[in-house]
């Protein structure tokens, strides 16, 4: 009986973290720009809200959006990748996607390869809607653990 209890307990302990880590994130289905999920973009001296998601298969682009506030000179978007695999991290103007342009250039872009915190910084246009894209590459192993996104503005 002790062996059975120990076996069941070990199965439960190993199963709970795995299902928690690899469960689909709360922001799905945000795989297309028109399904982008909103992000809080606080003003000066305020801490933003962290958004946690994961990449459950390939491809799994995740889009979020925020609106820039007036009178701030610098926008920051932070991405903490789930691991040291390769990720695309970019910010675009939503209006470029809505216009159906054949080629859309990012406002800010970084190819993240080292598992370290990545920061994009740019001068926003007041009242503009920006899209944040995070996506793993074809060579990554899926599903991944959770990533974190955060946006804020400063002078």
């Amino acid at each position: 009986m002790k062996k059975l209890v120990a076996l069941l307990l070990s199965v439960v302990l190993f199963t709970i973290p795995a299902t928690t880590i690899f469960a689909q994130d709360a922001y799905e289905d945000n795989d297309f720009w028109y399904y982008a999920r909103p992000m809080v973009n606080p003003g000066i001296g305020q801490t933003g809200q962290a958004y946690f998601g994961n990449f459950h298969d390939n491809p799994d682009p995740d889009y979020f959006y925020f609106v820039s506030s007036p009178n701030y000179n610098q926008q920051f978007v932070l991405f903490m990748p789930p691991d040291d695999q390769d990720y695309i991290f970019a910010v675009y103007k939503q209006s470029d996607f809505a216009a159906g342009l054949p080629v859309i250039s990012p406002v800010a872009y970084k190819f993240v390869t080292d598992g370290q915190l990545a920061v994009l910084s740019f001068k926003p246009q007041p009242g503009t809607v920006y899209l944040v894209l995070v996506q793993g590459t074809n060579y990554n192993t899926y599903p991944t653990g959770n990533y974190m996104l955060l946006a804020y503005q400063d002078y």
Side-chain angles (χ1 to χ4, degrees):
M1 182 67 171
K2 285 184 182 179
K3 288 183 180 181
L4 179 61
V5 170
L7 177 63
L8 288 175
L9 184 59
S10 64
V11 167
V12 168
L13 289 175
F14 286 113
T15 303
I16 290 174
T19 56
T20 302
I21 290 172
F22 298 121
Q24 283 192 345
D25 64 58
Y27 303 104
E28 290 295 341
D29 179 23
N30 60 343
D31 294 346
F32 301 96
W33 71 268
Y34 43 84
Y35 291 136
R37 300 297 187 231
M39 294 179 71
V40 174
N41 188 33
I44 303 299
Q46 298 176 356
T47 303
Q49 177 180 341
Y51 295 86
F52 297 92
N54 61 51
F55 304 105
H56 54 273
D57 59 16
N58 181 29
D60 180 21
D62 286 351
Y63 287 93
F64 293 82
Y65 75 88
F66 62 87
V67 180
S68 61
S69 301
N71 303 322
Y72 299 124
N73 293 327
Q74 205 63 25
Q75 175 71 51
F76 298 92
V77 185
L78 287 66
F79 170 57
M80 176 57 81
D83 49 43
D84 61 357
Q85 298 185 92
D86 297 341
Y87 295 95
I88 297 164
F89 176 36
V91 175
Y92 300 88
K93 284 185 184 177
Q94 184 187 44
S95 59
D96 290 347
F97 279 78
L101 299 176
V103 177
I104 300 173
S105 297
V107 174
Y109 174 87
K110 190 171 221 173
F111 190 71
V112 182
T113 61
D114 57 7
Q116 299 298 311
L117 177 68
V119 179
L120 296 179
S121 175
F122 61 95
K123 294 196 178 294
Q125 295 176 348
T128 301
V129 179
Y130 289 96
L131 291 171
V132 178
L133 167 66
V134 289
Q135 180 177 355
T137 65
N138 293 338
Y139 305 105
N140 290 9
T141 303
Y142 296 94
T144 67
N146 289 330
Y147 64 78
M148 188 267 308
L149 279 175
L150 180 82
Y152 70 94
Q153 292 186 341
D154 206 345
Y155 289 112

